[in-house]
Amino acid sequence: MKTISTHLSYFLKDREVKRNLSILLRYVAVLVAVIAVFTVVFHFIMVYVEGEEHSWITGLYWTLTVMSTLGFGDITFQSDIGRLFSVFVLMSGIVMLLIVLPFAFIRFFYAPWLESQIRNRAPRSLPADASDHVILTSYDPIARGVVRRLERDEIPYVVLEPDPTTAANLQMDGVRVVTGDIDDKETYEAVRADRARFMLANHDDQTNTNITLTVREVAPEVPVAALVGHENSQDILELSGATQVLPIKRWLGEQLATRITAEYGEVHPIGQYRDLRFAELPVQHTSLEHQTIREARIREQTGATVVGLWERGSLQPVRPNTSLAPTSVLVVTGTTEQLRALNRMVVSDDTHTEPVVVIGGGRVGGAAVQALHKRGVPVHLVEQKRARCKVLRPYCAEVFCGDAAEYALLEEAGIETAPSVLLTTHDDAINIHLASYCRRLNSEMRVVSRITHERNLEAIHRAGADFVLSYATLGIDAVYAALRGRRLVVLGEGVDLFTRAVPPSLAGTTLAGSQIGEQTGLNVVALEHNDTFKTDLGGDTPLSSDRHLVLIGSDDQMETFVDRYE
């Protein structure tokens, strides 16, 4: 516990505090001078106008009584001059004592003192025995999601925050934080970086380079993952010592591009967990339309397993009698050969050769356009900035420079016949508007969009978007995959892949008897044992303690699983 003298010593060292105290003391000096002048004038009027003699203590007493509005007591003026002077002293006291003095005291002393108390509460280091922890260099939306998962999995962590006040507030919110400059070697010594499990540099490219170089002086071996915005910075960060560089914006564009429907009946790979591969299959214009899962016989014919069903932004579990609508998108898992067999099974002569429309040519849109170009998918780009139009023109069949809200421009870009539209602007309101607009112009097209804020997820799905993904969600998934040392699997916004050892409370039960789906909403997609996966699960599939569950669902559902079963 720090003593008052320690707090005061730290408080008085601050330059701004010294300046504030100087201003406050000058005002107090002016106030004392005014009181002294009023005391002298009181004596002058009393002697030469009222004809009375009073002591100097009495004059000071009268001045303070009047200025503080406590009343005139037993000493009053009888003359008009004396009473006018009393009114002047009274008004001066109201302003100087009752208004300015409290404000000045609070503004220049009390508020800084409270802020100093808060700043003092921010930790400056981790305990000397801290080890195997994760270091996050900023508490941004990605870090918030990562912290939530770390707490769920009981992995220790610390967030670095340069501002002590912000750090203290984060600590009061339950975040484990240490304050210190992120470009100072002593900060990383204080958080025991040399014994950390993993570190994330999640600032801009220049700051991340500085962070990486600094931490390498203290911890040459710690794994460092760095977010990167510009492609040109990737090599610089790797040369600076970053173990992994995560170009989230480029990956976001590429992930959105994989969800584009360019040819009906095409299986889109979306990720891999060890030998278990995941893919999506839009049902529209395939032989699967209007069939049930049992009638489709996907597992019998290909070996692949249907583990979920996207229906306008909602991932739903599947049952044998689940009906496949034209808007449905199947989530399937299997080996590479099984997924190829599925692709051959659903391939149709009724392929769509119309270009895909991409609205927005920023870093995310540019990455999507280039990814589609590599797949041989023709693209019509709609972009306002001519410079970006010029850069991306080689990757597009045609480029339309202008406002996507103009019907004539979208019509010229082929929106009414396009199989898919991809919305990549960084403004959620614009993307919601365009999703609704494009859905109205072409009710059968697949609408894929990015969002910035999770709160807009429901709104953009209501507007007509079929698939949505945000920068923060992809960043959280990418960072956690890097931390866990596994490949990135992106199932969709608010949905992730989890692996958990079968809890003792479920060992010996069956999959149906565990009621995992009913109690948590999670979907068990496979059982892992000795690096092999069992995907043909039924209600009578036994659960044993030497196996791992492979599940898909949301973070909230996973937390429910942990609370209920672990």
Side-chain angles (χ1 to χ4, degrees), residues 501-513:
V502 173
S505 60
L506 295 180
T509 64
T510 62
L511 189 57

Side-chain angles (χ1 to χ4, degrees), residues 75-93:
I75 306 173
T76 58
F77 287 104
Q78 302 301 318
S79 64
D80 290 340
I81 293 177
R83 289 178 175 175
L84 283 174
F85 174 64
S86 299
V87 171
F88 181 75
V89 173
L90 179 65
M91 298 302 295
S92 300

Side-chain angles (χ1 to χ4, degrees), residues 299 318-320 508-516 518 524 527 534-543:
R299 182 185 294 171
V318 291
R319 302 287 183 268
T509 64
T510 62
L511 189 57
S514 70
Q515 296 188 319
I516 293 174
E518 294 82 351
V524 182
L527 282 176
K534 177 181 176 59
T535 57
D536 54 337
L537 305 178
D540 58 349
T541 300
L543 302 179

Side-chain angles (χ1 to χ4, degrees), residues 489-511:
V489 179
V490 182
L491 296 173
E493 186 70 25
V495 179
D496 197 13
L497 177 72
F498 306 99
T499 59
R500 308 292 287 195
V502 173
S505 60
L506 295 180
T509 64
T510 62
L511 189 57

Side-chain angles (χ1 to χ4, degrees), residues 163-285:
D163 181 48
T165 302
T166 304
N169 290 332
L170 287 175
Q171 186 187 37
M172 287 189 287
D173 290 337
V175 179
R176 193 182 190 191
V177 64
V178 165
T179 185
D181 294 326
I182 56 175
D183 58 354
D184 189 346
K185 184 174 71 172
E186 293 182 359
T187 300
Y188 298 100
E189 291 173 346
V191 296
R192 322 302 173 190
D194 57 325
R195 298 199 298 271
R197 170 190 299 205
F198 181 85
M199 183 179 139
L200 175 65
N202 50 332
H203 288 265
D204 59 79
D205 294 353
Q206 293 78 16
T207 305
N208 286 344
T209 302
N210 195 359
I211 289 171
T212 305
L213 289 169
T214 304
V215 78
R216 281 293 172 235
E217 297 181 41
V218 177
E221 303 300 327
V222 65
V224 177
L227 305 187
V228 62
H230 296 275
E231 292 294 317
N232 295 336
S233 300
Q234 185 163 342
D235 292 340
I236 298 173
L237 282 163
E238 289 174 348
L239 290 171
S240 300
T243 313
Q244 291 176 283
V245 178
L246 311 178
I248 305 299
K249 288 191 175 180
R250 174 166 66 82
W251 288 351
L252 178 58
E254 292 171 351
Q255 286 290 336
L256 293 172
T258 62
R259 268 63 180 197
I260 287 294
T261 300
E263 295 182 89
Y264 298 127
E266 184 180 14
V267 174
H268 308 304
I270 59 174
Q272 178 178 352
Y273 173 66
R274 297 187 183 175
D275 294 331
L276 199 62
R277 296 179 182 272
F278 291 85
E280 287 185 351
L281 172 62
V283 172
Q284 190 178 37
H285 289 222

Side-chain angles (χ1 to χ4, degrees), residues 309-531:
L309 178 71
W310 283 107
E311 195 63 61
R312 288 287 165 85
S314 174
L315 184 63
Q316 302 172 359
V318 291
R319 302 287 183 268
N321 60 348
T322 300
S323 180
L324 303 179
T327 55
S328 302
V329 177
L330 295 176
V331 180
V332 295
T333 184
T335 64
T336 302
E337 186 52 44
Q338 288 171 342
L339 296 181
R340 286 175 181 168
L342 176 60
N343 205 42
R344 291 192 295 270
M345 170 186 165
V346 299
V347 72
S348 170
D349 294 333
D350 183 23
T351 57
H352 206 303
T353 58
E354 294 295 326
V356 167
V357 177
V358 176
I359 299 178
R363 270 182 263 173
V364 174
V369 166
Q370 293 179 52
L372 291 169
H373 177 72
K374 288 179 181 178
R375 284 171 50 190
V377 177
V379 174
H380 283 179
L381 174 66
V382 181
E383 166 60 39
Q384 281 187 311
K385 295 181 180 179
R386 294 194 174 275
R388 292 300 297 172
C389 290
K390 184 178 179 181
V391 169
L392 296 174
R393 192 176 300 277
Y395 307 100
C396 304
E398 288 190 56
V399 175
F400 302 86
C401 289
D403 189 352
E406 296 180 8
Y407 170 72
L409 186 66
L410 284 183
E411 183 183 33
E412 187 180 359
I415 195 70
E416 294 177 343
T417 57
S420 296
V421 62
L422 174 54
L423 312 175
T424 68
T425 77
H426 62 275
D427 190 313
D428 286 359
I430 293 176
N431 288 338
I432 292 170
H433 172 76
L434 290 174
S436 180
Y437 192 28
C438 293
R439 178 61 67 198
R440 180 183 176 188
L441 295 175
N442 186 343
S443 60
E444 293 190 357
M445 73 170 6
R446 181 163 168 80
V447 179
V448 178
S449 178
R450 68 172 287 192
I451 59 169
T452 301
H453 303 290
E454 186 180 353
R455 63 177 180 270
N456 293 317
L457 181 62
E458 187 176 344
I460 198 167
H461 279 304
R462 283 201 307 267
D466 295 291
F467 181 85
V468 179
L469 188 62
S470 70
Y471 175 86
T473 293
L474 181 59
I476 294 166
D477 290 343
V479 170
Y480 216 70
L483 170 63
R484 288 297 198 179
R486 61 176 173 84
R487 293 189 182 185
L488 176 63
V489 179
V490 182
L491 296 173
E493 186 70 25
V495 179
D496 197 13
L497 177 72
F498 306 99
T499 59
R500 308 292 287 195
V502 173
S505 60
L506 295 180
T509 64
T510 62
L511 189 57
S514 70
Q515 296 188 319
I516 293 174
E518 294 82 351
Q519 297 294 332
T520 68
L522 290 167
N523 187 9
V524 182
V525 300
L527 282 176
E528 181 185 0
H529 179 61
N530 294 333
D531 294 330

